């Protein structure tokens, strides 16, 4: 990766509405849904107030769908439109091109995470009384910033590995947005589901310990980071082998 390649990817991002709209939508949903739910329920729902991390990041359950879409679209639409051939003509070194996409995805994810987390904390604090101090607050806020970046890079890597936008969207969106949360509530499946990247990463945002989870909060973020690294490496290997 070099700065010129990264700059070219940034230009694509800022000129294509399909690319810059999902991160913006993720921020709005993360902060907006949390604020709206906090204003309506206040302290009536103990599920949201017993652990402030659950309430603060309630909107992320919706915002992450947009983050998944962004990670998939960053490289997936180039597969489906054959524009990847043009990109590889301009940047023949596939590792450099892929590295620029990963870096851009991570940077935009960090920005979306920082804005979404700040907005969610501000909106929730304005509507629901909670303790905003101590190591739990610092950990949850840090995880809230890092989680979107890890999720975007993970989805980009999976998309590169599959080499198809439709397949990646069809796999990742229902898994993160629907299947994973549903299976997390099934006793027989929970032991395995807790190690999925989204479940592990979101556990780092919790304030309190869950006795049903077999690892610590920071370990959850590490598990997600390992998933992300594996996906990114798998995507690189697939891109290097492709005939495009």
């Amino acid at each position: 990766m070099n700065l010129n390649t990264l700059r070219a990817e940034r230009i694509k991002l800022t000129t294509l509405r399909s690319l810059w709209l999902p991160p913006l939508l993720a921020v709005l949903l993360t902060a907006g849904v949390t604020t709206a739910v906090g204003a309506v329920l206040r302290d009536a729902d103990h599920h949201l107030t017993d652990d402030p991390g659950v309430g603060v990041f309630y909107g992320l359950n919706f915002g992450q769908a947009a983050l998944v879409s962004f990670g998939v679209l960053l490289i997936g639409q180039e597969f489906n439109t054959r524009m990847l051939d043009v990109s590889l003509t301009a940047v023949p070194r596939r590792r450099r091109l892929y590295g620029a996409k990963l870096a851009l995805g991570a940077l935009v994810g960090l920005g979306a995470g920082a804005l979404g987390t700040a907005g969610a904390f501000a909106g929730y604090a304005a509507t629901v009384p909670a303790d905003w101090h101590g190591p739990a607050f610092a950990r949850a806020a840090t995880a809230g910033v890092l989680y979107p970046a890890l999720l975007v890079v993970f989805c980009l890597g999976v998309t590169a590995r599959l080499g198809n936008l439709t397949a990646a969207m069809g796999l990742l969106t229902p898994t993160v947005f629907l299947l994973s949360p549903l299976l997390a509530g099934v006793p027989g499946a929970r032991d395995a589901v807790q190690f999925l990247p989204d479940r592990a990463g979101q556990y780092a945002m919790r304030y309190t310990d869950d006795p049903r989870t077999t690892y610590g909060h920071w370990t959850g973020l590490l598990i997600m980071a390992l998933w992300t690294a594996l996906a990114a490496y798998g995507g690189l290997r697939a891109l290097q082998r492709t005939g495009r």
Side-chain angles (χ1 to χ4, degrees):
M1 186 195 73
N2 62 19
L3 292 179
N4 289 333
T5 308
L6 182 60
R7 189 177 299 113
E9 292 299 318
R10 179 189 59 79
I11 292 172
K12 291 180 189 177
L13 171 68
T14 55
T15 55
L16 293 175
R17 183 165 57 182
S18 60
L19 288 182
W20 61 257
L21 190 57
L24 176 61
L25 185 60
V27 173
L28 294 176
L29 286 172
T30 299
V33 172
T34 291
T35 303
V37 169
V40 171
L41 296 179
R42 293 188 178 271
D43 57 354
D45 189 340
H46 295 291
H47 178 67
L48 299 179
T49 56
D50 287 347
D51 189 328
V54 175
V56 168
F57 293 105
Y58 186 83
L60 184 61
N61 294 313
F62 302 89
Q64 68 179 352
L67 293 169
V68 170
S69 298
F70 175 63
V72 171
L73 288 169
L74 265 178
I75 194 170
Q77 61 182 6
E78 292 194 37
F79 279 113
N80 280 34
T81 61
R82 305 290 297 184
M83 284 299 295
L84 187 62
D85 296 333
V86 178
S87 297
L88 289 173
T89 300
V91 187
R93 294 185 178 181
R94 301 179 183 216
R95 185 187 295 270
R96 177 180 295 178
L97 175 65
Y98 186 63
K101 290 184 179 294
L102 290 177
L104 181 66
L107 289 173
V108 173
L110 284 173
L115 292 174
T117 297
F121 269 107
Y124 194 75
T127 55
V128 180
D131 180 13
W132 306 115
H133 302 85
F137 166 76
R139 185 194 65 246
T142 301
V145 174
L146 295 178
Y147 177 87
L150 292 172
L151 182 61
V152 169
V153 173
F154 172 78
C155 293
L156 195 157
V158 171
T159 305
R161 182 67 182 86
L162 295 175
N164 186 282
L165 182 151
T166 306
M169 200 73 80
L171 171 66
L172 292 169
T173 303
T175 299
V176 173
F177 191 63
L178 182 63
L179 188 61
S180 179
L182 288 177
L183 290 178
V186 178
R190 180 182 173 83
D191 290 343
V193 172
Q194 66 177 319
F195 290 99
L196 291 179
D198 60 310
R199 293 290 95 193
Q202 289 181 31
Y203 186 60
M205 304 176 205
R206 300 281 296 271
Y207 271 47
T208 60
D209 295 329
D210 185 347
R212 298 172 298 176
T213 302
T214 58
Y215 48 78
H217 297 283
W218 284 116
T219 303
L221 199 62
L222 176 61
I223 290 172
M224 186 180 187
L226 291 174
W227 273 103
T228 301
L230 182 63
Y233 177 74
L236 173 62
R237 295 289 294 173
L239 191 63
Q240 289 175 328
R241 290 196 303 265
T242 184
R244 289 181 173 82

